[in-house]
Coordinates of all heavy atoms in Angstrom, one line a residue:
M1 N 47.9 -49.2 216.4 CA 48.1 -50.7 216.6 C 49.2 -50.8 217.7 O 50.4 -50.7 217.3 CB 48.5 -51.3 215.3 CG 48.6 -52.8 215.3 SD 48.6 -53.5 213.7 CE 50.2 -53.0 213.1
T2 N 48.9 -51.0 218.9 CA 49.9 -51.2 219.9 C 50.1 -52.6 220.3 O 51.2 -53.1 220.5 CB 49.5 -50.4 221.2 OG1 48.2 -50.8 221.6 CG2 49.6 -48.9 221.0
D3 N 49.1 -53.4 220.3 CA 49.2 -54.8 220.6 C 49.2 -55.7 219.4 O 48.2 -55.9 218.7 CB 48.0 -55.3 221.5 CG 48.1 -56.7 221.9 OD1 49.1 -57.3 221.7 OD2 47.1 -57.2 222.5
V4 N 50.4 -56.2 219.0 CA 50.5 -56.9 217.7 C 50.6 -58.4 218.0 O 51.0 -59.2 217.1 CB 51.7 -56.4 216.9 CG1 51.4 -55.0 216.3 CG2 53.0 -56.5 217.6
T5 N 50.4 -58.8 219.2 CA 50.5 -60.3 219.5 C 49.1 -61.0 219.3 O 49.1 -62.2 219.3 CB 51.0 -60.5 220.9 OG1 50.1 -59.9 221.9 CG2 52.4 -59.9 221.1
K6 N 48.1 -60.2 219.2 CA 46.7 -60.7 219.1 C 46.0 -60.2 217.9 O 46.2 -59.0 217.6 CB 45.9 -60.4 220.4 CG 46.3 -61.2 221.6 CD 45.4 -62.4 221.7 CE 45.6 -63.3 223.0 NZ 46.9 -63.3 223.6
C7 N 45.2 -61.0 217.2 CA 44.5 -60.5 216.1 C 43.4 -59.5 216.5 O 42.7 -59.8 217.4 CB 43.8 -61.8 215.4 SG 42.7 -61.3 214.1
P8 N 43.4 -58.4 215.8 CA 42.3 -57.4 216.2 C 40.9 -57.8 215.8 O 40.0 -57.2 216.3 CB 42.8 -56.1 215.4 CG 43.6 -56.7 214.2 CD 44.2 -57.9 214.7
I9 N 40.8 -58.8 214.9 CA 39.5 -59.2 214.5 C 38.9 -60.2 215.4 O 37.8 -60.1 215.9 CB 39.6 -59.8 213.0 CG1 40.3 -58.9 212.0 CG2 38.1 -60.2 212.5 CD1 39.7 -57.6 211.7
C10 N 39.7 -61.3 215.7 CA 39.1 -62.4 216.5 C 39.9 -62.7 217.8 O 39.5 -63.5 218.5 CB 39.1 -63.6 215.6 SG 40.7 -64.4 215.3
G11 N 41.0 -62.0 218.0 CA 41.8 -62.2 219.2 C 42.7 -63.5 219.1 O 43.3 -63.9 220.1
G12 N 42.8 -64.1 217.9 CA 43.6 -65.2 217.7 C 45.1 -64.9 217.8 O 45.5 -63.7 217.8
E13 N 45.9 -66.0 217.8 CA 47.4 -65.8 217.9 C 47.9 -65.4 216.5 O 47.6 -65.9 215.5 CB 48.0 -67.1 218.3 CG 49.4 -66.8 218.9 CD 50.1 -68.1 219.3 OE1 49.4 -69.1 219.6 OE2 51.4 -68.2 219.2
L14 N 48.9 -64.4 216.5 CA 49.5 -64.0 215.3 C 50.9 -64.6 215.2 O 51.7 -64.7 216.1 CB 49.7 -62.5 215.3 CG 48.4 -61.7 215.3 CD1 48.7 -60.2 215.5 CD2 47.6 -61.9 214.0
I15 N 51.2 -65.1 214.0 CA 52.6 -65.6 213.8 C 53.2 -64.9 212.5 O 52.5 -64.6 211.6 CB 52.7 -67.1 213.5 CG1 51.7 -67.6 212.5 CG2 52.4 -67.9 214.8 CD1 52.0 -69.0 211.9
E16 N 54.5 -64.7 212.6 CA 55.2 -64.0 211.5 C 55.4 -65.0 210.3 O 55.9 -66.1 210.6 CB 56.5 -63.4 211.9 CG 56.9 -62.3 211.0 CD 58.1 -61.5 211.5 OE1 58.2 -61.3 212.7 OE2 59.0 -61.2 210.7
K17 N 55.0 -64.6 209.1 CA 55.1 -65.5 208.0 C 55.5 -64.6 206.8 O 55.2 -63.5 206.7 CB 53.7 -66.0 207.7 CG 53.4 -67.4 208.2 CD 52.2 -67.9 207.5 CE 51.6 -69.2 208.2 NZ 50.4 -69.6 207.5
K18 N 56.1 -65.3 205.8 CA 56.3 -64.7 204.5 C 55.0 -64.9 203.7 O 54.6 -66.0 203.5 CB 57.5 -65.3 203.8 CG 58.8 -64.7 204.1 CD 59.7 -64.7 202.8 CE 61.1 -64.2 203.1 NZ 61.2 -62.9 203.7
V19 N 54.5 -63.8 203.1 CA 53.3 -63.9 202.3 C 53.5 -63.2 201.0 O 54.4 -62.3 200.9 CB 52.1 -63.3 203.0 CG1 51.8 -64.0 204.3 CG2 52.3 -61.8 203.3
D20 N 52.8 -63.6 200.0 CA 52.8 -62.9 198.7 C 51.7 -61.9 198.7 O 50.5 -62.2 199.1 CB 52.5 -63.9 197.6 CG 53.6 -64.8 197.3 OD1 54.8 -64.4 197.5 OD2 53.4 -65.9 196.8
K21 N 52.0 -60.6 198.4 CA 51.0 -59.6 198.4 C 50.9 -59.1 196.9 O 51.9 -58.8 196.3 CB 51.5 -58.4 199.3 CG 50.7 -57.2 199.2 CD 49.4 -57.3 200.0 CE 48.6 -55.9 200.0 NZ 47.3 -56.0 200.5
L22 N 49.7 -59.0 196.5 CA 49.4 -58.5 195.1 C 49.1 -57.0 195.2 O 48.3 -56.5 196.0 CB 48.1 -59.2 194.6 CG 47.9 -59.3 193.1 CD1 49.0 -60.2 192.5 CD2 46.6 -59.9 192.9
L23 N 49.9 -56.3 194.4 CA 49.7 -54.8 194.4 C 49.3 -54.3 193.0 O 49.9 -54.8 192.0 CB 51.0 -54.1 194.8 CG 51.5 -54.4 196.2 CD1 52.9 -53.9 196.4 CD2 50.6 -53.8 197.2
R24 N 48.4 -53.4 192.9 CA 48.0 -52.8 191.6 C 48.3 -51.3 191.6 O 48.1 -50.6 192.6 CB 46.5 -53.0 191.4 CG 46.2 -54.4 191.1 CD 44.8 -54.5 190.4 NE 44.5 -55.9 190.1 CZ 44.0 -56.7 190.9 NH1 43.6 -56.4 192.1 NH2 43.8 -58.0 190.5
G25 N 48.7 -50.9 190.4 CA 48.9 -49.4 190.2 C 48.6 -49.2 188.7 O 49.3 -49.8 187.9
G26 N 47.7 -48.4 188.4 CA 47.3 -48.2 187.0 C 46.9 -49.5 186.4 O 46.1 -50.2 187.0
N27 N 47.5 -49.9 185.2 CA 47.1 -51.2 184.6 C 48.1 -52.3 185.0 O 48.1 -53.4 184.5 CB 47.1 -51.1 183.1 CG 45.9 -50.3 182.6 OD1 44.9 -50.4 183.2 ND2 46.2 -49.5 181.6
N28 N 49.0 -52.0 185.9 CA 50.1 -52.9 186.2 C 49.8 -53.6 187.6 O 49.2 -53.0 188.5 CB 51.4 -52.2 186.3 CG 51.8 -51.6 184.9 OD1 51.7 -52.3 183.9 ND2 52.1 -50.3 184.9
T29 N 50.3 -54.8 187.7 CA 50.1 -55.6 188.9 C 51.5 -56.2 189.3 O 52.2 -56.6 188.4 CB 49.1 -56.7 188.7 OG1 47.9 -56.1 188.2 CG2 48.8 -57.4 190.0
A30 N 51.8 -56.2 190.5 CA 53.1 -56.8 191.0 C 52.8 -57.7 192.2 O 51.9 -57.4 193.0 CB 54.1 -55.7 191.3
I31 N 53.7 -58.7 192.3 CA 53.6 -59.6 193.4 C 54.9 -59.3 194.2 O 56.0 -59.3 193.7 CB 53.5 -61.0 193.1 CG1 52.1 -61.3 192.4 CG2 53.7 -61.9 194.3 CD1 52.0 -62.7 191.9
V32 N 54.7 -59.1 195.5 CA 55.9 -58.9 196.4 C 55.8 -59.8 197.6 O 54.7 -60.0 198.1 CB 56.0 -57.4 196.8 CG1 54.8 -56.9 197.5 CG2 57.3 -57.1 197.6
Q33 N 57.0 -60.3 197.9 CA 57.0 -61.2 199.1 C 57.4 -60.5 200.3 O 58.5 -59.9 200.3 CB 57.9 -62.4 198.8 CG 57.4 -63.7 199.5 CD 58.3 -64.9 199.3 OE1 59.5 -64.8 199.4 NE2 57.7 -66.0 198.9
V34 N 56.6 -60.4 201.3 CA 57.0 -59.6 202.5 C 56.6 -60.5 203.8 O 55.9 -61.4 203.7 CB 56.2 -58.3 202.6 CG1 56.6 -57.4 201.5 CG2 54.7 -58.6 202.6
N35 N 57.2 -60.0 204.9 CA 56.8 -60.6 206.2 C 55.5 -60.0 206.7 O 55.4 -58.7 206.6 CB 57.9 -60.4 207.2 CG 59.1 -61.3 207.0 OD1 58.9 -62.5 206.7 ND2 60.3 -60.8 207.1
A36 N 54.6 -60.8 207.2 CA 53.4 -60.2 207.7 C 53.1 -61.0 209.0 O 53.6 -62.1 209.2 CB 52.2 -60.4 206.8
L37 N 52.3 -60.5 209.9 CA 51.8 -61.2 211.0 C 50.4 -61.8 210.6 O 49.5 -61.1 210.2 CB 51.6 -60.3 212.2 CG 52.9 -59.7 212.8 CD1 52.6 -58.6 213.8 CD2 53.7 -60.8 213.4
V38 N 50.3 -63.1 210.6 CA 49.1 -63.8 210.1 C 48.4 -64.4 211.3 O 49.0 -65.2 212.1 CB 49.5 -64.8 209.0 CG1 48.2 -65.5 208.5 CG2 50.3 -64.2 207.9
C39 N 47.1 -64.2 211.3 CA 46.3 -64.8 212.4 C 46.1 -66.3 212.1 O 45.8 -66.7 211.0 CB 44.9 -64.1 212.5 SG 43.8 -64.8 213.7
Q40 N 46.4 -67.1 213.2 CA 46.2 -68.5 213.1 C 44.7 -68.9 212.9 O 44.4 -70.0 212.4 CB 46.7 -69.2 214.4 CG 48.2 -68.9 214.7 CD 49.1 -70.0 214.2 OE1 49.1 -70.3 213.0 NE2 49.8 -70.6 215.1
E41 N 43.9 -68.1 213.5 CA 42.4 -68.4 213.5 C 41.7 -68.0 212.2 O 41.1 -68.8 211.6 CB 41.8 -67.7 214.7 CG 42.4 -68.0 216.1 CD 42.2 -69.5 216.4 OE1 41.2 -70.1 216.1 OE2 43.2 -70.0 217.1
C42 N 41.8 -66.7 211.9 CA 41.0 -66.2 210.8 C 41.8 -65.9 209.5 O 41.2 -65.6 208.5 CB 40.1 -65.0 211.2 SG 41.1 -63.5 211.5
G43 N 43.1 -65.9 209.6 CA 43.9 -65.6 208.4 C 44.1 -64.2 208.1 O 44.7 -63.8 207.1
E44 N 43.6 -63.3 209.0 CA 43.9 -61.9 208.9 C 45.4 -61.6 208.8 O 46.1 -62.2 209.6 CB 43.2 -61.1 210.1 CG 43.4 -59.6 210.1 CD 42.6 -58.9 209.1 OE1 41.7 -59.5 208.5 OE2 42.9 -57.7 209.0
K45 N 45.8 -60.7 207.9 CA 47.2 -60.3 207.8 C 47.4 -58.9 208.3 O 46.7 -58.0 207.9 CB 47.6 -60.4 206.4 CG 47.6 -61.9 205.8 CD 48.2 -61.9 204.4 CE 48.0 -63.2 203.8 NZ 46.6 -63.4 203.3
L46 N 48.4 -58.8 209.1 CA 48.8 -57.4 209.6 C 50.2 -57.1 209.1 O 51.1 -58.0 209.1 CB 48.8 -57.4 211.1 CG 47.5 -57.7 211.8 CD1 47.7 -57.6 213.3 CD2 46.5 -56.7 211.4
Y47 N 50.4 -55.9 208.6 CA 51.7 -55.5 208.0 C 52.3 -54.5 208.9 O 51.6 -53.6 209.5 CB 51.5 -55.0 206.6 CG 50.9 -56.0 205.6 CD1 49.6 -55.9 205.2 CD2 51.7 -57.1 205.2 CE1 49.1 -56.9 204.4 CE2 51.2 -58.0 204.3 CZ 49.9 -57.9 203.9 OH 49.3 -58.8 203.1
L48 N 53.6 -54.5 208.9 CA 54.4 -53.4 209.6 C 54.3 -52.1 208.9 O 54.1 -52.1 207.6 CB 55.9 -53.8 209.7 CG 56.2 -55.0 210.6 CD1 57.6 -55.4 210.4 CD2 55.8 -54.8 212.0
P49 N 54.4 -51.0 209.6 CA 54.3 -49.7 208.9 C 55.2 -49.5 207.8 O 54.9 -49.0 206.7 CB 54.6 -48.7 210.0 CG 54.2 -49.4 211.3 CD 54.5 -50.8 211.0
E50 N 56.5 -50.0 207.9 CA 57.5 -49.9 206.9 C 57.1 -50.8 205.7 O 57.4 -50.5 204.5 CB 58.9 -50.2 207.3 CG 59.1 -51.5 208.1 CD 59.0 -51.3 209.6 OE1 58.1 -50.5 210.1 OE2 59.8 -51.9 210.3
T51 N 56.4 -51.9 205.9 CA 55.9 -52.7 204.8 C 54.8 -52.0 204.0 O 54.8 -52.0 202.8 CB 55.4 -54.1 205.3 OG1 56.4 -54.7 206.1 CG2 55.1 -55.0 204.2
I52 N 53.9 -51.3 204.7 CA 52.9 -50.6 204.1 C 53.4 -49.5 203.3 O 53.0 -49.2 202.2 CB 51.8 -50.1 205.1 CG1 51.1 -51.3 205.7 CG2 50.9 -49.1 204.5 CD1 50.3 -51.0 207.0
E53 N 54.5 -48.8 203.8 CA 55.2 -47.8 203.0 C 55.8 -48.4 201.7 O 55.7 -47.7 200.7 CB 56.3 -47.2 203.9 CG 56.5 -45.8 203.8 CD 57.4 -45.3 204.9 OE1 56.9 -45.0 206.0 OE2 58.6 -45.2 204.6
L54 N 56.4 -49.6 201.8 CA 56.9 -50.2 200.7 C 55.8 -50.5 199.6 O 56.0 -50.3 198.4 CB 57.6 -51.5 201.1 CG 58.1 -52.4 200.0 CD1 59.4 -51.8 199.4 CD2 58.4 -53.8 200.4
F55 N 54.6 -50.9 200.1 CA 53.5 -51.1 199.2 C 53.2 -49.8 198.4 O 52.9 -49.9 197.2 CB 52.3 -51.6 200.0 CG 52.4 -53.0 200.6 CD1 51.5 -53.3 201.6 CD2 53.3 -53.9 200.1 CE1 51.6 -54.6 202.1 CE2 53.4 -55.1 200.7 CZ 52.5 -55.5 201.7
D56 N 53.1 -48.7 199.2 CA 52.8 -47.4 198.6 C 53.8 -47.1 197.5 O 53.5 -46.6 196.4 CB 52.8 -46.3 199.6 CG 51.6 -46.3 200.5 OD1 50.6 -47.1 200.1 OD2 51.6 -45.7 201.5
Q57 N 55.1 -47.3 197.8 CA 56.2 -47.0 196.8 C 56.0 -47.8 195.6 O 56.2 -47.3 194.5 CB 57.6 -47.3 197.5 CG 58.0 -46.2 198.5 CD 59.2 -46.7 199.3 OE1 59.9 -47.6 198.8 NE2 59.5 -46.0 200.4
I58 N 55.7 -49.1 195.8 CA 55.6 -50.0 194.6 C 54.4 -49.6 193.8 O 54.4 -49.5 192.6 CB 55.5 -51.5 195.1 CG1 56.8 -51.9 195.7 CG2 55.1 -52.4 193.9 CD1 56.8 -53.3 196.4
Q59 N 53.3 -49.3 194.5 CA 52.1 -48.9 193.7 C 52.3 -47.6 192.9 O 51.8 -47.5 191.8 CB 50.9 -48.7 194.7 CG 50.2 -50.0 195.0 CD 49.2 -50.0 196.1 OE1 49.3 -49.2 197.0 NE2 48.2 -50.9 196.0
E60 N 53.1 -46.7 193.5 CA 53.4 -45.4 192.8 C 54.2 -45.7 191.5 O 54.0 -45.2 190.5 CB 54.2 -44.5 193.7 CG 53.3 -43.6 194.5 CD 54.0 -42.7 195.5 OE1 55.2 -42.4 195.2 OE2 53.5 -42.5 196.6
K61 N 55.2 -46.6 191.7 CA 56.0 -47.0 190.6 C 55.2 -47.7 189.5 O 55.4 -47.5 188.3 CB 57.1 -48.0 191.0 CG 58.3 -47.3 191.6 CD 59.5 -48.2 191.8 CE 60.8 -47.5 191.9 NZ 61.9 -48.4 191.5
L62 N 54.3 -48.6 189.9 CA 53.4 -49.2 188.9 C 52.6 -48.2 188.2 O 52.4 -48.3 186.9 CB 52.5 -50.2 189.7 CG 53.1 -51.5 190.3 CD1 52.1 -52.3 191.1 CD2 53.7 -52.4 189.2
E63 N 52.0 -47.3 188.9 CA 51.2 -46.2 188.2 C 52.0 -45.4 187.3 O 51.6 -45.0 186.2 CB 50.6 -45.3 189.3 CG 49.1 -45.7 189.6 CD 48.6 -45.0 190.8 OE1 48.7 -43.7 190.8 OE2 48.2 -45.7 191.7
A64 N 53.3 -45.1 187.7 CA 54.2 -44.3 186.8 C 54.9 -45.1 185.7 O 55.7 -44.5 185.0 CB 55.2 -43.6 187.7
Q65 N 54.6 -46.4 185.6 CA 55.2 -47.3 184.7 C 56.7 -47.3 184.9 O 57.5 -47.5 183.9 CB 54.9 -46.8 183.2 CG 53.5 -46.7 182.9 CD 52.8 -47.9 182.4 OE1 53.4 -48.9 182.1 NE2 51.5 -47.9 182.3
D66 N 57.2 -47.1 186.1 CA 58.6 -47.1 186.4 C 59.0 -48.5 186.8 O 59.0 -48.8 188.0 CB 58.8 -46.1 187.5 CG 60.3 -46.0 187.9 OD1 61.1 -46.6 187.2 OD2 60.6 -45.3 188.9
L67 N 59.2 -49.4 185.8 CA 59.2 -50.8 186.1 C 60.5 -51.5 185.9 O 60.7 -52.7 185.9 CB 58.1 -51.5 185.2 CG 56.7 -50.9 185.3 CD1 55.8 -51.5 184.2 CD2 56.1 -51.1 186.7
A68 N 61.6 -50.6 185.7 CA 62.9 -51.2 185.4 C 63.4 -52.1 186.4 O 64.2 -53.0 186.1 CB 63.9 -50.0 185.2
D69 N 63.1 -51.9 187.7 CA 63.6 -52.8 188.8 C 62.9 -54.1 188.9 O 63.3 -55.0 189.6 CB 63.4 -52.0 190.1 CG 64.3 -50.8 190.2 OD1 65.2 -50.6 189.4 OD2 64.0 -50.0 191.1
Y70 N 61.8 -54.2 188.2 CA 60.9 -55.4 188.4 C 61.1 -56.4 187.2 O 61.4 -56.1 186.1 CB 59.4 -55.0 188.5 CG 59.2 -54.0 189.6 CD1 58.2 -53.0 189.4 CD2 60.0 -54.0 190.7 CE1 58.0 -52.1 190.5 CE2 59.8 -53.0 191.7 CZ 58.7 -52.1 191.6 OH 58.5 -51.2 192.6
T71 N 60.9 -57.7 187.6 CA 61.0 -58.7 186.6 C 59.6 -59.1 186.1 O 58.7 -59.4 186.9 CB 61.7 -60.0 187.3 OG1 62.9 -59.5 187.9 CG2 61.9 -61.1 186.3
L72 N 59.5 -59.2 184.8 CA 58.2 -59.6 184.3 C 58.1 -61.1 184.4 O 59.0 -61.9 183.9 CB 58.1 -59.2 182.8 CG 56.8 -59.4 182.1 CD1 55.7 -58.6 182.7 CD2 56.9 -59.1 180.6
I73 N 57.1 -61.6 185.0 CA 56.9 -63.1 185.2 C 55.7 -63.6 184.5 O 55.5 -64.8 184.5 CB 56.8 -63.5 186.7 CG1 55.7 -62.7 187.4 CG2 58.1 -63.2 187.4 CD1 55.3 -63.3 188.8
G74 N 55.0 -62.8 183.8 CA 53.8 -63.3 183.1 C 52.8 -62.2 182.9 O 53.0 -61.1 183.3
N75 N 51.8 -62.5 182.1 CA 50.8 -61.5 181.9 C 49.5 -61.8 182.7 O 49.3 -62.9 183.1 CB 50.4 -61.5 180.4 CG 51.5 -61.1 179.5 OD1 52.2 -60.1 179.8 ND2 51.8 -61.9 178.5
F76 N 48.8 -60.7 183.0 CA 47.6 -60.8 183.7 C 46.4 -60.8 182.8 O 46.4 -59.9 181.9 CB 47.5 -59.7 184.8 CG 47.9 -60.1 186.1 CD1 49.3 -60.1 186.4 CD2 47.0 -60.6 187.1 CE1 49.7 -60.5 187.7 CE2 47.5 -61.0 188.3 CZ 48.8 -60.9 188.6
Y77 N 45.5 -61.6 182.9 CA 44.3 -61.6 182.1 C 43.1 -61.4 182.9 O 43.0 -61.9 184.1 CB 44.2 -63.0 181.4 CG 45.3 -63.2 180.4 CD1 46.4 -64.0 180.9 CD2 45.4 -62.7 179.2 CE1 47.5 -64.2 180.0 CE2 46.4 -62.9 178.3 CZ 47.5 -63.7 178.8 OH 48.6 -63.9 178.0
Q78 N 42.1 -60.7 182.4 CA 40.9 -60.5 183.1 C 39.9 -61.4 182.4 O 39.8 -61.5 181.2 CB 40.4 -59.1 182.9 CG 39.1 -58.8 183.7 CD 38.7 -57.4 183.8 OE1 39.1 -56.6 182.9 NE2 37.9 -57.0 184.8
V79 N 39.2 -62.2 183.3 CA 38.1 -63.1 182.8 C 36.8 -62.4 182.9 O 36.3 -62.0 184.0 CB 38.1 -64.4 183.6 CG1 37.0 -65.3 183.0 CG2 39.5 -65.1 183.5
A80 N 36.2 -62.1 181.7 CA 35.0 -61.3 181.7 C 33.8 -62.1 182.2 O 33.8 -63.3 182.1 CB 34.7 -60.8 180.3
Ligands
LIG1 ZN1 41.9 -63.5 213.6

């Protein structure tokens, strides 16, 4: 990814925005607010490499049930 000013999907303009990202690990889910480049045209989101690394770390913690740093904000339900 060398050109981050244009959307790789549609060529639209990218703007930096705070977005909520849902992450899953094991039976746990976390929401994290990060900066992403969001396409004005199609809504495609691009994340910086360090943000993707953060996602990996969070997912590992979720899988390991290492949740002491996180705040419980509610339960997740599956609708069958
Ligand atoms: Zn796009």
Side-chain angles (χ1 to χ4, degrees):
M1 191 165 68
T2 51
D3 181 9
V4 292
T5 59
K6 287 263 183 339
C7 173
I9 310 294
C10 73
E13 201 187 330
L14 297 172
I15 52 163
E16 200 171 324
K17 264 194 188 175
K18 270 214 185 312
V19 299
D20 287 333
K21 171 81 175 170
L22 204 65
L23 295 169
R24 284 202 180 85
N27 288 323
N28 300 309
T29 307
I31 292 173
V32 59
Q33 213 182 47
V34 294
N35 283 318
L37 294 168
V38 182
C39 175
Q40 300 263 59
E41 303 295 325
C42 72
E44 177 73 9
K45 295 187 189 76
L46 299 178
Y47 299 104
L48 295 171
E50 50 264 44
T51 306
I52 292 167
E53 216 168 278
L54 177 73
F55 292 162
D56 284 347
Q57 286 169 15
I58 293 171
Q59 276 171 329
E60 272 172 33
K61 280 192 157 199
L62 290 172
E63 259 169 57
Q65 305 270 352
D66 181 8
L67 308 170
D69 296 343
Y70 303 149
T71 307
L72 187 64
I73 55 167
N75 297 314
F76 264 83
Y77 298 96
Q78 183 171 25
V79 180

